[in-house]
Amino acid sequence: MIRPPEDITALVGTAVDFPCYVGGDPTPDVLWRRQAPGGTMPLGRVRVLENRTLRLEDVTLLDQGRYTCDVDNFAGVLSASAVLTVHAPPTFTTRPLAQTVETGQQVSFQCHVTGSPKPLIFWSFEGDRSLIYPGSSAGNFEAFTSVDGQSSLILKNAQVQNSGTVIICSAVNEAGSISTRTRLTVTSKEDRPPPVIIRGPSNQTLPLHSVAYLICEASGTPKPVISWYKESVPVSSSSRINMTNPGQVELYNLSKEDSGAYTCVASSRGGKATWTGHLLVDNPKNPNINFFKAPEVVMVPGPPSRPHALNQSEGSVTITWGQNNKIGSSSLLGYQVELFGREEGVIPTWTIVAKRVPGPSFTQHLLSPGVPYTFLVRAENSHGIGPPSPLSEPIIVGPDLGQNWGSPDSVLSEARASLVTTNIIKLTDAIPVSSTAVKLAWEVTDSTYVEGLYIYYVSVNEQPETPKSYSMLTVLHTGASSSFTVNSLSKWTRYEFFLIPFYKAIEGQPSNSRTVRTLEDVPHEPPINMEALLLNSTAVWLKWKPPPSIHGELEGYKIEVKTNGSLTPTLINVGTAPTFLLGNLTSGVVYYIKVAASTRAGVGPFSPASTLRLDPASRVTDNSLPRYVIVKI
C-alpha cells in the first residue's frame, strides 16, 4: 500500500477524501467498507475516484465512523482504516424568551443547543464579564442543566433592580459559536397596565319604545369597576334604566331623549379604559333612518395573536401579530392598535394610535426611551371592532441598533451592531508551550470596533456534575498582535479556551473554542506510604502509593537501594505497578531504600530513605531505625 487513508476531522457540509493508493502485480482490487453506528455507506453522496480515493460529499454527523480500504490480489490481502470525525457548529433549538414578572416572583430562561463536539453552554449579562456555567450561580441567578441537556437560568426572587437586565446565552465548540440576547423586565403592582375593555358599547339606531342593551365587558388585575356616562353625565338607575349588571345596561321604552353618546369607563388602581358608543332613537316610520342594533359576538372578528416586537430603533418599534381565522360576518377592514405607557404626569389609560391598519405589522414612532410600553391589537370589519389580542410583553425602546439595548451614543450603537450581530473573531490555534503555558492565536475579520479581547478558559478535567470554574484575562487589541501566551496553568491539564471581543462595555459574540492539554512535567512529589513485607531471609516485597499528583502519564518507578558500606547506590527500573520484589538481600546488612515516579518528562524526587535490616537471629526487620511502615513476619 503506497498511501493508506488517514484520520480526518471535517465540518458538516464539506467534502472529504480518503486516499488508498496501492501497487502490485497483478493490479490489486480495492474495496471500501464502513464500520459505524450509522450503518452502510451514505449512498448518493459517496463515490470512488479513478485513483481509488473514497470521496464523501456534503458530510453529516451520521457519516462519522471508520472507513476501511481492503486490497487484494492473488499474492495477498491488505487492509487499512481511517476514522472520520464530523464537527458541527452550535445551533439553537430553544432560545431564551423575554420575560416580564412582578417583584418577588420566580423567572426562568431556557436555552438548548446542539452541535458536535458537544457545545459548552454558559450564561452572562450584558456589561458584566462574569459567566455562569450550569451548576454555578452569580448573585441571585443560578444555572442548571436538565437530563435532556437543556440549560436553564433561574432567578427565584426577582427585584426591581433586576429589571432591564440583558440575558445572554452562548455556546461554543471547536466548529464555531452562537449567542442570543433577551431582556428581563421586573414590574411592581403599580406598573400593571390599566383595565382592558373586551367588548364595549356599539353604535345603534333603534325605534321609539324599544329596548337598548349597552355592553361593557372588561378585564384587569385587580378586577376593574365599571361605570357609565351619557354626554359626560353619570348614568344612574331609574324605572327605565336597569343597572343591576354594570356589564350590560338595559334601557326600556326608549324615547328620543335617550339618544346620545354613552361611555363605559373601566377603572382600577392601574388606570382606566373608556369606550363610547352612540345611540340614536327615532320614529320607526321615518323613511330616512336605517335602524340597526348592536352586532352579535359572532359577527365581529376574533382576537389577533399576541403582538411582539419585530424591530426596534431609537424612539420607535415595529410590532407584528397573527390574524385570527375567525373574521366574522363581513370582510376585514383592518386592525386597531392601542398603546399604554406609564409616563410622568399622564393618566394611565389606553391610547388608540392607529385605526384600520392593513397589518400584520405596525411601526410606532415618538416613544420615550426607558419607558415600558404595552400594545394590544383588535380586528375590525363592517359590523364592528372585535375583542383584543393578548397584551404584548412590555417593550422598552432605546438607542440600540438591532436589539436596542445600550447607550444612545451613535458610535456605541454601531459597535454593538458590529460585535453583537456578527462573528468577527476566530480562535485558530491553541498550542501548549510548556507544562504551565499555552499559546493562543486568532484572526479578527473586522477590527473597527475591537478594543480588546477577553480570554476565557475552563478546566475540562473536572467531573461533569461539578460546577465549572473559569479564569479570564484581558488583552488589548493593538492591531499588530494576534497571539498571546496564557501562563500559570495547571500541569498536564486539559483546558477549553475561547475569546470574546469588546469595545468599551459592549461585548461581542464569542469565538469558537479550542481544547488543549498542557505539557507533561516531572512529578513534583515522591511516592508515599512505603511498606515492606519480609518473605524470607533474603527477600522482601515492597509496595507504596503513587505521588498525589504526577503531572503526566506515569512511565514507571525507579528504586534506589544503598547499603551502609556502598558508595554508589543501585538503581532499579520498575513498571507502573507500585510494587517490587527485592531479593538477594544479606542478613545483618542495613539497606536504605528510596523510590521515585517518572513521566516522559523525567524522574521526580525520591522519597526519604526507608531503612531495612534483616536480623539473622530473629528474622525480623529492625524496628529501632527510622523508616516507612515495615510489615513483620
Side-chain angles (χ1 to χ4, degrees):
M1 189 169 290
I2 300 172
R3 183 182 174 189
E6 297 177 348
D7 293 348
I8 298 176
T9 299
L11 279 175
V12 165
T14 60
V16 296
D17 288 344
F18 285 111
C20 185
Y21 300 164
V22 297
D25 186 17
T27 302
D29 293 326
V30 175
L31 175 66
W32 283 96
R33 56 188 171 88
R34 180 188 180 198
Q35 295 171 296
T40 59
M41 289 284 185
L43 299 179
R45 295 185 293 106
V46 62
R47 58 195 175 101
V48 179
L49 307 182
E50 290 184 3
N51 61 1
R52 312 301 176 85
T53 294
L54 181 71
R55 172 167 294 174
L56 277 73
E57 306 280 357
D58 193 22
V59 297
T60 69
L61 292 175
L62 295 177
D63 296 334
Q64 296 185 108
R66 181 176 297 276
Y67 292 81
T68 301
C69 170
D70 292 326
V71 181
D72 73 276
N73 63 10
F74 293 121
V77 176
L78 287 175
S79 292
S81 299
V83 174
L84 172 62
T85 302
V86 180
H87 284 179
T91 302
F92 283 118
T93 56
T94 302
R95 292 175 180 263
L97 302 176
Q99 301 278 2
T100 300
V101 296
E102 288 191 356
T103 53
Q105 291 183 333
Q106 176 173 301
V107 60
S108 64
F109 299 87
Q110 313 299 324
C111 187
H112 189 246
V113 181
T114 60
S116 180
K118 184 179 179 181
L120 177 68
I121 302 176
F122 57 90
W123 298 85
S124 58
F125 311 110
E126 189 167 81
D128 187 341
R129 291 173 290 177
S130 301
L131 306 184
I132 310 177
Y133 288 98
S136 62
S137 62
N140 294 326
F141 288 90
E142 293 183 80
F144 302 92
T145 300
S146 62
V147 177
D148 62 357
Q150 179 163 283
S151 182
S152 302
L153 183 70
I154 296 177
L155 176 62
K156 292 185 177 179
N157 185 16
Q159 299 298 317
V160 173
Q161 56 265 33
N162 300 126
S163 187
T165 301
V166 176
I167 310 290
I168 307 172
C169 177
S170 302
V172 297
N173 68 7
E174 295 197 14
S177 68
I178 195 169
S179 66
T180 185
R181 286 164 162 75
T182 192
R183 179 186 289 275
L184 169 62
T185 302
V186 182
T187 63
S188 63
K189 292 182 179 180
E190 291 73 22
D191 293 326
R192 290 174 178 169
V196 175
I197 295 179
I198 307 299
R199 183 182 175 202
S202 301
N203 295 336
Q204 303 179 73
T205 299
L206 300 175
L208 290 167
H209 310 300
S210 63
V211 179
Y213 297 97
L214 304 179
I215 305 298
C216 187
E217 299 175 9
S219 65
T221 304
K223 184 179 180 179
V225 175
I226 295 176
S227 54
W228 287 91
Y229 296 84
K230 177 189 177 187
E231 308 292 352
S232 302
V233 177
V235 177
S236 56
S237 297
S238 68
S239 59
R240 292 191 310 107
I241 301 177
N242 180 7
M243 298 188 67
T244 305
N245 176 14
Q248 179 175 298
V249 175
E250 301 171 355
L251 283 72
Y252 303 104
N253 194 22
L254 291 175
S255 65
K256 287 190 175 182
E257 289 72 21
D258 293 323
S259 298
Y262 287 83
T263 299
C264 157
V265 179
S267 58
S268 70
R269 292 196 306 269
K272 69 177 183 177
T274 62
W275 192 301
T276 299
H278 292 83
L279 173 64
L280 175 62
V281 181
D282 210 320
N283 191 324
K285 298 181 180 181
N286 187 340
N288 298 319
I289 298 294
N290 179 27
F291 292 94
F292 60 91
K293 62 180 181 179
E296 300 292 334
V297 175
V298 296
M299 302 173 70
V300 297
S305 66
R306 180 194 299 269
H308 66 271
L310 182 63
N311 290 303
Q312 295 173 243
S313 60
E314 185 173 358
S316 67
V317 61
T318 298
I319 61 171
T320 183
W321 58 88
Q323 176 181 315
N324 194 308
N325 292 330
K326 176 181 173 297
I327 62 172
S329 301
S330 57
S331 300
L332 202 65
L333 298 177
Y335 295 91
Q336 176 172 295
V337 180
E338 300 178 32
L339 164 70
F340 165 70
R342 192 178 296 276
E343 300 189 37
E344 196 71 31
V346 178
I347 296 176
T349 189
W350 291 97
T351 302
I352 298 174
V353 293
K355 292 185 175 183
R356 296 191 175 179
V357 174
S361 63
F362 170 74
T363 300
Q364 175 65 37
H365 300 281
L366 303 177
L367 298 176
S368 301
V371 175
Y373 290 98
T374 305
F375 290 85
L376 64 82
V377 181
R378 305 173 191 262
E380 180 182 4
N381 64 13
S382 58
H383 288 86
I385 297 175
S389 67
L391 303 186
S392 73
E393 295 288 346
I395 299 171
I396 302 176
V397 299
D400 185 3
L401 295 178
Q403 290 190 307
N404 268 333
W405 301 320
S407 162
D409 188 295
S410 61
V411 175
L412 291 181
S413 295
E414 293 176 8
R416 180 173 283 101
S418 173
L419 295 177
V420 171
T421 60
T422 57
N423 212 318
I424 64 171
I425 187 166
K426 179 180 180 181
L427 182 56
T428 57
D429 220 338
I431 305 170
V433 294
S434 74
S435 61
T436 59
V438 170
K439 183 177 182 180
L440 305 179
W442 59 82
E443 295 175 355
V444 179
T445 57
D446 182 3
S447 60
T448 305
Y449 294 106
V450 178
E451 191 175 40
L453 302 170
Y454 297 130
I455 299 176
Y456 289 92
Y457 52 99
V458 58
S459 169
V460 294
N461 284 359
E462 301 169 355
Q463 296 298 320
E465 64 273 9
T466 304
K468 292 185 180 296
S469 60
Y470 67 91
S471 300
M472 188 200 74
L473 297 171
T474 303
V475 178
L476 295 180
H477 181 66
T478 62
S481 175
S482 59
S483 63
F484 182 81
T485 299
V486 181
N487 295 294
S488 301
L489 301 174
S490 297
K491 299 176 179 181
W492 193 240
T493 301
R494 289 176 62 84
Y495 287 95
E496 187 166 6
F497 293 87
F498 61 92
L499 314 175
I500 294 182
F502 69 86
Y503 180 83
K504 301 191 184 304
I506 301 169
E507 298 170 13
Q509 288 203 48
S511 71
N512 61 301
S513 66
R514 291 286 183 184
T515 301
V516 67
R517 189 195 293 269
T518 51
L519 298 180
E520 288 185 88
D521 199 357
V522 298
H524 279 208
E525 296 179 274
I528 59 175
N529 297 345
M530 180 181 285
E531 298 180 6
L533 173 63
L534 185 61
L535 298 180
N536 53 47
S537 60
T538 62
V540 294
W541 181 257
L542 299 177
K543 62 178 181 177
W544 56 89
K545 291 184 179 179
S549 57
I550 298 178
H551 303 316
E553 294 288 347
L554 180 65
E555 290 279 285
Y557 295 96
K558 287 187 179 295
I559 294 178
E560 179 185 290
V561 181
K562 186 179 179 183
T563 63
N564 52 1
S566 63
L567 298 177
T568 304
T570 301
L571 291 177
I572 305 171
N573 291 321
V574 181
T576 57
T579 59
F580 183 70
L581 176 61
L582 182 60
N584 297 322
L585 301 178
T586 303
S587 299
V589 177
V590 177
Y591 293 91
Y592 302 94
I593 303 173
K594 301 178 182 180
V595 63
S598 65
T599 63
R600 284 173 291 189
V603 180
F606 280 89
S607 62
S610 294
T611 305
L612 175 68
R613 187 175 69 177
L614 303 182
D615 190 329
S618 63
R619 288 194 172 184
V620 298
T621 53
D622 188 353
N623 290 328
S624 64
L625 300 173
R627 66 195 184 291
Y628 284 101
V629 176
I630 299 296
V631 180
K632 300 179 181 179
I633 60 171

